[in-house]
Amino acid sequence: MILKEFAAYTREFRRHWLEYLMLFLSLDLLNQFVIIPLFRYITTFVLQAGAIPFVSYQNIITIITTHTVVFIILIIELLLLLVMIYAQFAYLLHGVRAIYSKNLTLKNSFKQIWQNIKKIRLGSLLLLALYFLLVIPFADIVFRTPLLAKIQIPEFILDYMTRTPILLTILIVFYVVVLFFGVRLLFTLPLMVLGQKKTRTAMKKSWQLTKGMQWWPIIWRLFLLAVFVSVILTVFYLAVYGMQLLWDLLPGKYPALILAIANLSLIQIGSELVFIWSGVIALFIIFAPLKIVPMEEKTAKNHASKKLISFVSIIFGLIVITSIVTNIMYLVGVNAHAPVVISHRGVDNKNGVQNTLEALRKTAKEKPDYVEIDLHETKDKQFIVLHDENLQKLTGINKAPHELTLAEITKLTAKEDGHQAKLVSFDQYLKEAKKLHQKLLIEVKTTPNDSKKMLQQFNKKYAKTILQNKYQVQSLDYRVVESLHQINPKLDVFYIQPYNFMYPHSVADGYSMEYSTLNSDFIWQDSDFIWQAHLQHHPVYAWTINDEKLMKKMMYEQVDGLITDRVKLAKKAIKEFQDDSSYANRILNYVTVVHMPNDLEA
């Protein structure tokens, strides 16, 4: 029964495939080249005009209280972003219905979208914000929009929430609740857009339509669709890989390269076609119980207009050209530059207690480019190598570093991952690092209890050593970045950013970014943040990456450094990614590392 439905939907897709292609690709390109850059530039411009270099939890109160106009503009921009997301889904829903009814025109589509937007009120926007957060997992099945891809929980928060049974339980309960409400409110948007219902009324209707397990047939069909897509793409990728594998055995380098470029472009374009097909089928599945679009069988053939054929041909031509250019760069190795490997907190695969000399000695044998460590100021205004703001987790002592002197803290024994070691001062760590010829990436931690002259003290005591040994400094606190830049411009100071709201604009000499915010938004483009940073000659490090596929993906995104807990694995991943023994392996590398994870998650 379900297979017959899918077959009928597929026949409908085939009859109007050019229109569906135009609908989805035009929205993808609009997102990628207009909407996302526009919102980023507006945010960057507004913050620059207000002399605000960044937005984070550290300065949000300051922005609200001392930059009220900027805060109001940012809130307006956020509301406009919600309207834009709503308008995009309205464009899709109206478009699919119009294509099926054979009356698709851009003029009518924009007119209907404008009618929908005019009905939105402030209260509706707040409900829509909640709704989008709930249904994003299902929305990605229907439409892989780069705009929605920006709305995600950063991986470092998920990692933190899985560290203890209590936090893990809270996270699981949160996901279960979101999943439940997301399923029950799945029909809200179609009812609002196509049924002309108000937000609250549409939510009530969706809740009613999904009561008593009536949601199960829809979710089951969407799940089966995702399985079909996975199988189709796997077979397709293997076929292309096998063809390239055979061609690589033939003599001559350039014929193999030409076919590799063609095969990689085929993978990218073919994948887009499959996902557009699956998006249309998913919409039909959602439409079916609403009876908004009649899904009876049609026999009449569709004849695409010359204008439509020309429009789709232009779009496809642009995609093919950009794909070929980036694929040439990837296949000949231009993009595969080796990033520096940075040992996170001085460990490699749990070989010791973080930020201790024992771990440093073991890790230095793996020859990472840098060892990243953390500093806190102590009660007597010295520096201890320690990450946490409380000693409880490592030592069992419920005290903060500022509550104890350096001598008191260095007597404590830290325990982690079956190892134990003494906590050490920054001076001790520097001495051992110099002895091992190991470069350091030094993160300066701050708390409200730090002394007013902490950074001056840090510069006076350690700047000479840092400069002589070409160490780098970083901080999550932008005040540290700004102050150290003023105190000693010769220091290389990076700004750590867990979120990516705007284009890079600060006095920082580089950036350490949470890796999940650096993913590129489209199959032929690099991360726009990295691209902008490189234009300013600022390196970008990604943290914390412990998965081999993610390491390779970040290399494809052209990050300049990998901050990792697994140094040996990172070096192995870099070597494999740069290995160009065959074009077939490079294509397989692209599919399994760069392309497949994004698409299958969507």
Side-chain angles (χ1 to χ4, degrees), residues 53-101:
F54 68 101
V55 176
S56 79
Y57 67 91
Q58 293 178 319
N59 71 339
I60 189 65
I61 301 299
T62 304
I63 293 174
I64 294 171
T65 55
T66 63
H67 300 276
T68 310
V69 175
V70 172
F71 176 71
I72 292 172
I73 293 174
L74 291 177
I75 292 297
I76 293 172
E77 186 184 359
L78 178 60
L79 295 177
L80 288 174
L81 184 62
L82 287 173
V83 172
M84 189 59 63
I85 294 173
Y86 173 71
Q88 289 187 19
F89 279 105
Y91 175 75
L92 268 187
L93 295 172
H94 281 304
V96 170
R97 184 168 69 172
I99 290 170
Y100 186 86
S101 305

Side-chain angles (χ1 to χ4, degrees), residues 503-523:
Y503 288 122
H505 176 76
S506 70
V507 300
D509 299 296
Y511 299 90
S512 287
M513 301 291 298
E514 201 279 326
Y515 77 86
S516 64
T517 70
L518 288 174
N519 290 338
S520 62
D521 303 318
F522 217 49
I523 58 174

Side-chain angles (χ1 to χ4, degrees), residues 428-585:
Q428 290 174 288
Y429 206 97
L430 277 176
K431 183 179 179 181
E432 190 66 23
K434 287 171 66 178
K435 178 181 174 183
L436 297 168
H437 305 288
Q438 177 61 63
K439 288 184 179 180
L440 300 178
L441 173 60
I442 304 155
E443 179 177 346
V444 178
K445 297 281 189 180
T446 60
T447 72
N449 300 288
D450 296 329
S451 64
K452 293 181 179 180
K453 297 289 185 180
M454 182 185 78
L455 295 179
Q456 285 86 344
Q457 193 99 340
F458 173 84
N459 177 70
K460 182 179 179 181
K461 192 171 182 180
Y462 302 113
K464 185 178 179 180
T465 301
I466 291 172
L467 291 170
Q468 282 178 346
N469 294 279
K470 298 182 180 179
Y471 298 163
Q472 294 175 335
V473 182
Q474 65 175 2
S475 183
L476 187 64
D477 189 339
Y478 187 75
R479 293 167 297 182
V480 171
V481 178
E482 198 170 37
S483 297
L484 284 178
H485 187 268
Q486 293 173 349
I487 295 169
N488 192 341
K490 293 181 180 180
L491 293 174
D492 274 340
V493 186
F494 284 54
Y495 176 42
I496 304 172
Q497 287 188 256
Y499 307 104
N500 180 5
F501 292 117
M502 53 184 285
Y503 288 122
H505 176 76
S506 70
V507 300
D509 299 296
Y511 299 90
S512 287
M513 301 291 298
E514 201 279 326
Y515 77 86
S516 64
T517 70
L518 288 174
N519 290 338
S520 62
D521 303 318
F522 217 49
I523 58 174
W524 55 77
Q525 284 208 337
D526 301 320
S527 166
D528 48 0
F529 185 95
I530 296 174
W531 177 66
Q532 288 278 344
H534 286 173
L535 284 178
Q536 301 172 33
H537 307 290
H538 291 158
V540 177
Y541 297 163
W543 55 274
T544 303
I545 306 176
N546 298 319
D547 178 83
E548 186 173 358
K549 287 185 178 181
L550 283 172
M551 292 170 181
K552 293 177 180 178
K553 188 177 190 316
M554 287 297 103
M555 286 185 66
Y556 183 83
E557 301 286 359
Q558 300 192 65
V559 298
D560 303 284
L562 302 176
I563 300 178
T564 178
D565 295 309
R566 305 187 67 182
V567 174
K568 188 182 292 186
L569 181 66
K571 291 201 165 192
K572 173 177 173 285
I574 291 171
K575 185 177 183 302
E576 289 179 356
F577 192 83
Q578 292 187 303
D579 181 12
D580 58 353
S581 58
S582 74
Y583 293 119
N585 285 341

Side-chain angles (χ1 to χ4, degrees), residues 332-358:
V332 299
V334 174
N335 281 346
H337 75 287
V340 296
V341 177
I342 304 162
S343 168
H344 185 228
R345 304 185 193 177
V347 299
D348 176 31
N349 200 21
K350 301 180 179 181
N351 63 350
V353 181
Q354 58 177 283
N355 286 314
T356 62
L357 297 183
E358 286 80 357

Side-chain angles (χ1 to χ4, degrees), residues 234-451:
T234 299
V235 173
F236 172 54
Y237 293 153
L238 287 175
V240 175
Y241 169 70
M243 182 166 56
Q244 186 65 48
L245 200 62
L246 290 173
W247 198 264
D248 283 348
L249 297 176
L250 298 176
K253 176 181 178 182
Y254 291 105
L257 173 61
I258 292 170
L259 186 65
I261 294 167
N263 280 337
L264 196 52
S265 300
L266 181 65
I267 283 174
Q268 294 168 335
I269 295 168
S271 299
E272 284 302 302
L273 290 173
V274 170
F275 278 102
I276 290 172
W277 164 79
S278 65
V280 173
I281 303 302
L283 284 175
F284 284 162
I285 291 170
I286 295 171
F287 285 164
L290 301 179
K291 297 180 174 56
I292 293 174
V293 175
M295 297 312 302
E296 69 272 5
E297 186 71 25
K298 288 186 175 183
T299 56
K301 292 184 179 181
N302 178 63
H303 298 284
S305 67
K306 291 183 178 180
K307 286 184 179 180
L308 177 63
I309 293 173
S310 300
F311 182 76
V312 174
S313 298
I314 291 171
I315 291 179
F316 234 78
L318 291 172
I319 291 173
V320 170
I321 291 170
T322 51
S323 293
I324 289 173
V325 171
T326 53
N327 291 341
I328 290 173
M329 293 174 67
Y330 168 66
L331 289 167
V332 299
V334 174
N335 281 346
H337 75 287
V340 296
V341 177
I342 304 162
S343 168
H344 185 228
R345 304 185 193 177
V347 299
D348 176 31
N349 200 21
K350 301 180 179 181
N351 63 350
V353 181
Q354 58 177 283
N355 286 314
T356 62
L357 297 183
E358 286 80 357
L360 171 64
R361 294 184 187 109
K362 294 177 184 176
T363 302
K365 293 178 181 178
E366 299 297 334
K367 301 187 183 303
D369 296 286
Y370 291 91
V371 161
E372 184 262 350
I373 61 172
D374 309 276
L375 300 185
H376 272 288
E377 190 182 43
T378 62
K379 185 178 180 179
D380 52 346
K381 298 177 178 54
Q382 302 298 313
F383 290 96
I384 186 74
V385 185
L386 179 71
H387 175 272
D388 298 343
E389 292 187 15
N390 192 292
L391 294 156
Q392 177 74 42
K393 182 181 176 182
L394 290 177
T395 68
I397 306 298
N398 188 20
K399 293 282 187 180
H402 69 85
E403 295 179 288
L404 300 173
T405 64
L406 183 65
E408 290 171 330
I409 297 177
T410 51
K411 290 178 182 178
L412 300 176
T413 299
K415 298 179 181 179
E416 186 179 43
D417 297 322
H419 303 278
Q420 63 179 40
K422 294 287 186 181
L423 295 178
V424 295
S425 68
F426 185 36
D427 294 87
Q428 290 174 288
Y429 206 97
L430 277 176
K431 183 179 179 181
E432 190 66 23
K434 287 171 66 178
K435 178 181 174 183
L436 297 168
H437 305 288
Q438 177 61 63
K439 288 184 179 180
L440 300 178
L441 173 60
I442 304 155
E443 179 177 346
V444 178
K445 297 281 189 180
T446 60
T447 72
N449 300 288
D450 296 329
S451 64

Side-chain angles (χ1 to χ4, degrees), residues 73-310:
I73 293 174
L74 291 177
I75 292 297
I76 293 172
E77 186 184 359
L78 178 60
L79 295 177
L80 288 174
L81 184 62
L82 287 173
V83 172
M84 189 59 63
I85 294 173
Y86 173 71
Q88 289 187 19
F89 279 105
Y91 175 75
L92 268 187
L93 295 172
H94 281 304
V96 170
R97 184 168 69 172
I99 290 170
Y100 186 86
S101 305
K102 294 187 177 180
N103 62 353
L104 175 67
T105 66
L106 288 177
K107 183 179 178 180
N108 286 339
S109 294
F110 288 126
K111 184 178 178 181
Q112 289 170 330
I113 292 167
W114 178 244
Q115 293 299 324
N116 288 125
I117 291 175
K118 285 198 300 184
K119 293 180 180 179
I120 296 177
R121 300 293 180 266
L122 182 59
S124 299
L125 277 177
L126 298 177
L127 286 174
L128 275 175
L130 175 63
Y131 171 74
F132 285 133
L133 290 174
L134 292 173
V135 301
I136 277 173
F138 306 104
D140 271 355
I141 295 175
V142 177
F143 176 46
R144 296 163 49 251
T145 166
L147 195 57
L148 281 182
K150 298 297 181 184
I151 306 173
Q152 59 180 323
I153 300 175
E155 291 294 332
F156 77 95
I157 294 179
L158 294 178
D159 176 64
Y160 176 78
M161 293 297 292
T162 57
R163 290 181 182 177
T164 67
I166 295 176
L167 290 175
L168 180 60
T169 302
I170 293 172
L171 183 64
I172 292 172
V173 170
F174 169 76
Y175 272 115
V176 169
V177 171
V178 167
L179 182 63
F180 173 75
F181 282 99
V183 168
R184 296 300 302 271
L185 297 175
L186 187 60
F187 298 122
T188 301
L189 199 59
L191 288 167
M192 287 177 63
V193 174
L194 302 180
Q196 300 296 317
K197 297 185 181 297
K198 294 181 178 179
T199 309
R200 196 180 300 274
T201 306
M203 284 183 168
K204 288 181 180 179
K205 181 66 174 176
S206 179
W207 195 268
Q208 186 180 16
L209 287 170
T210 54
K211 67 181 181 181
M213 294 292 289
Q214 293 184 64
W215 52 268
W216 175 247
I218 307 300
I219 301 304
W220 176 240
R221 282 164 171 76
L222 291 175
F223 172 75
L224 287 179
L225 179 62
V227 172
F228 288 156
V229 169
S230 300
V231 172
I232 291 169
L233 287 180
T234 299
V235 173
F236 172 54
Y237 293 153
L238 287 175
V240 175
Y241 169 70
M243 182 166 56
Q244 186 65 48
L245 200 62
L246 290 173
W247 198 264
D248 283 348
L249 297 176
L250 298 176
K253 176 181 178 182
Y254 291 105
L257 173 61
I258 292 170
L259 186 65
I261 294 167
N263 280 337
L264 196 52
S265 300
L266 181 65
I267 283 174
Q268 294 168 335
I269 295 168
S271 299
E272 284 302 302
L273 290 173
V274 170
F275 278 102
I276 290 172
W277 164 79
S278 65
V280 173
I281 303 302
L283 284 175
F284 284 162
I285 291 170
I286 295 171
F287 285 164
L290 301 179
K291 297 180 174 56
I292 293 174
V293 175
M295 297 312 302
E296 69 272 5
E297 186 71 25
K298 288 186 175 183
T299 56
K301 292 184 179 181
N302 178 63
H303 298 284
S305 67
K306 291 183 178 180
K307 286 184 179 180
L308 177 63
I309 293 173
S310 300

